[in-house]
Amino acid sequence: MKVGIITFHASHNYGSMLQAYALQQTVLRLGHECEIINLRTSIQKRYYQPFLLQPGKRKKAKAIKHPILAIDDVRKYWKFEKFLKDKYILCPRTYSTAEALKEDRLDYDFFISGSDQIWNTTCLDFMTSYFLDFVKTGKRIAYAPSMGGVPHISIDEKFFPFIRENIKKYDAISVREETTLARIKEIMGDSDDLDISIAADPTLLLDRKDWLDLTGEKAIIDDDYILLYTPWYDNWMKLVYERAIELARQHNLKVVCTLPDATNLYGRIKGFKYYTAVGPLEFLNLMRHARYVVSASFHAVVFSILFDKPFYAYDGMKDGRISNLLKIAGLEKYAEETECLLPEFDGEEARKRLAPYINRSVLFLKNALK
């Protein structure tokens, strides 16, 4: 059978691109042909364009003030683009609008929407296409899409009629976390025939060895370090930085930070090593070889578990995506306020706890693709 996946595959975000890769690999291993539908809007392309190449005097001034950062931002961009070119099997045509998708007649037996926050209507990347409203023939499957960390807030009621109409057209539905399931049930109302499963993020469907092989054994950074990863920087994220600074002081380690704007918005912090030319493969390498991980990121938690890294998930139990994963793995304490990182970490035990959840998720996908 031929399968088409639509997801945030081209978002220059580590979790987005790695989950897209993992889902495609899983479908291929189940014995199907599989392509990723190459939907890349002009808004998305502009958003991830290196700031050196963006219009406006402020961007140019920033490049002049931080030339190394500007060059590394370009290098980072092309590492993401190389991953997209080398690691995905893409459909032949690139679609830049929802209308273009609707006008075409894509020839797939199955369409999968998922995973990632493709059903979070507040995302910059969101389009109605992620509810498969362009599909004319073929079965529709939702594999672990998410409505974000706080779907009871982020999903505006104006989208309810559209969501209700399109959810009913799916042949099989799974979502990534309980909070998304609760929001969908609220949107759909009393629908007795609504059968929705909870499925694991695709990054968990590949074996630990798969990720280790992809990552490589040679470390990008030789010294021991704490990896600090946040998807963006703002006043709330500043608290995550402060926690990393304190932990680095206690453990006498440097902090490696991948966020480019940190050098501009937060200043160069003593003991920090800014490594910003980081694509998906480099991110995996930094995760694999870190001593500890401090993050406010769902996928940083996933790879901490896969790579046996003691971690601290800032405010993790307040995020529906992270808390769902931590509860299943029995790792809630790694999101609690603590004066130092918990030194003991049994990644193997956590993965054993996750195994039934992962097996059910693969079985859901296998059955949906019949």
Side-chain angles (χ1 to χ4, degrees):
M1 294 295 184
K2 193 171 182 181
V3 181
I5 296 173
I6 187 164
T7 187
F8 289 161
H9 74 287
S11 296
H12 284 203
N13 172 285
Y14 306 119
S16 295
M17 295 190 79
L18 292 170
Q19 65 83 23
Y21 168 79
L23 182 56
Q24 183 170 57
Q25 289 298 308
T26 301
V27 173
L28 290 169
R29 292 177 187 190
L30 288 174
H32 302 280
E33 295 180 56
C34 185
E35 294 177 343
I36 291 177
I37 299 169
N38 198 16
L39 175 62
R40 302 189 71 180
T41 66
S42 57
I43 293 175
Q44 186 188 63
K45 287 181 179 180
R46 284 198 303 270
Y47 182 77
Y48 293 111
Q49 190 177 40
F51 69 84
L52 177 64
L53 306 179
Q54 293 177 15
K57 293 181 180 179
R58 291 181 63 183
K59 299 293 184 182
K60 296 298 184 289
K62 181 179 177 181
I64 292 171
K65 186 178 180 180
H66 301 288
I68 296 176
L69 177 62
I71 293 169
D72 280 351
D73 196 38
V74 174
R75 292 173 60 209
K76 174 183 177 180
Y77 175 87
W78 287 112
K79 286 179 178 180
F80 272 98
E81 289 296 302
K82 179 173 173 54
F83 184 91
L84 186 148
K85 179 181 178 182
D86 293 349
K87 300 300 182 183
Y88 295 154
I89 302 171
L90 297 172
C91 69
R93 181 179 172 185
T94 300
Y95 301 90
S96 59
T97 66
E99 290 70 27
L101 264 178
K102 288 179 179 179
E103 290 169 2
D104 205 351
R105 180 172 288 276
L106 292 169
D107 183 24
Y108 296 109
D109 301 296
F110 298 91
F111 291 82
I112 299 177
S113 56
S115 177
D116 213 357
Q117 296 185 53
I118 60 168
W119 285 0
N120 183 349
T121 57
T122 63
C123 281
L124 170 83
D125 309 71
F126 175 75
M127 295 177 68
T128 60
S129 305
Y130 295 111
F131 281 91
L132 300 181
D133 63 347
F134 61 91
V135 173
K136 297 177 180 66
T137 60
K139 289 189 175 182
R140 308 180 194 208
I141 302 166
Y143 183 80
S146 170
M147 288 182 167
V150 284
H152 63 286
I153 296 173
S154 59
I155 309 303
D156 195 292
E157 290 188 10
K158 69 181 181 181
F159 287 100
F160 283 16
F162 170 81
I163 293 172
R164 276 194 293 267
E165 178 187 353
N166 285 277
I167 285 286
K168 292 176 181 178
K169 297 177 182 178
Y170 276 82
D171 297 280
I173 305 175
S174 65
V175 295
R176 199 172 67 180
E177 56 274 322
E178 295 284 351
T179 50
T180 293
L181 176 59
R183 190 58 162 161
I184 289 176
K185 286 184 175 180
E186 180 185 356
I187 293 169
M188 299 301 291
D190 296 326
S191 183
D192 295 334
D193 59 344
L194 192 64
D195 183 15
I196 302 179
S197 305
I198 302 293
D201 185 87
T203 51
L204 290 165
L205 302 184
L206 297 188
D207 291 337
R208 180 172 183 265
K209 185 179 182 301
D210 293 324
W211 291 116
L212 291 174
D213 290 345
L214 192 64
T215 303
E217 293 187 9
K218 182 173 175 55
I220 293 172
I221 296 174
D222 293 330
D223 297 335
D224 284 342
Y225 58 90
I226 294 172
L227 177 63
L228 168 62
Y229 176 66
T230 60
W232 66 87
Y233 181 87
D234 56 19
N235 286 333
W236 182 79
M237 291 296 181
K238 183 177 178 181
L239 299 174
V240 189
Y241 275 61
E242 290 172 352
R243 180 51 52 88
I245 292 168
E246 175 59 20
L247 292 167
R249 184 191 65 78
Q250 292 176 4
H251 293 279
N252 194 29
L253 293 170
K254 288 187 178 295
V255 177
V256 171
C257 180
T258 65
L259 188 65
D261 280 344
T263 54
N264 187 26
L265 298 176
Y266 199 49
R268 288 193 173 274
I269 303 166
K270 185 178 180 181
F272 270 45
K273 180 178 179 63
Y274 294 96
Y275 193 85
T276 60
V278 175
L281 296 181
E282 290 76 17
F283 173 74
L284 289 174
N285 187 283
L286 292 174
M287 286 288 310
R288 175 180 180 175
H289 297 288
R291 175 81 69 86
Y292 303 111
V293 176
V294 177
S295 78
S297 158
F298 172 81
H299 283 103
V301 172
V302 169
F303 287 107
S304 294
I305 295 170
L306 290 172
F307 293 155
D308 293 319
K309 300 301 170 183
F311 65 91
Y312 175 62
Y314 185 81
D315 263 359
M317 297 310 292
K318 296 180 182 179
D319 184 302
R321 301 161 300 159
I322 296 174
S323 64
N324 191 73
L325 175 63
L326 294 179
K327 287 174 183 176
I328 296 171
L331 299 175
E332 295 95 328
K333 64 183 178 181
Y334 287 89
E336 296 172 357
E337 288 294 326
T338 177
E339 293 183 359
C340 64
L341 277 171
L342 301 166
E344 74 284 354
F345 181 74
D346 191 342
E348 185 175 356
E349 177 60 28
R351 292 191 294 276
K352 284 181 181 178
R353 285 173 172 261
L354 287 168
Y357 170 55
I358 294 168
N359 291 338
R360 288 194 303 271
S361 301
V362 174
L363 184 61
F364 165 84
L365 195 55
K366 185 176 182 180
N367 289 335
L369 291 169
K370 288 182 178 178

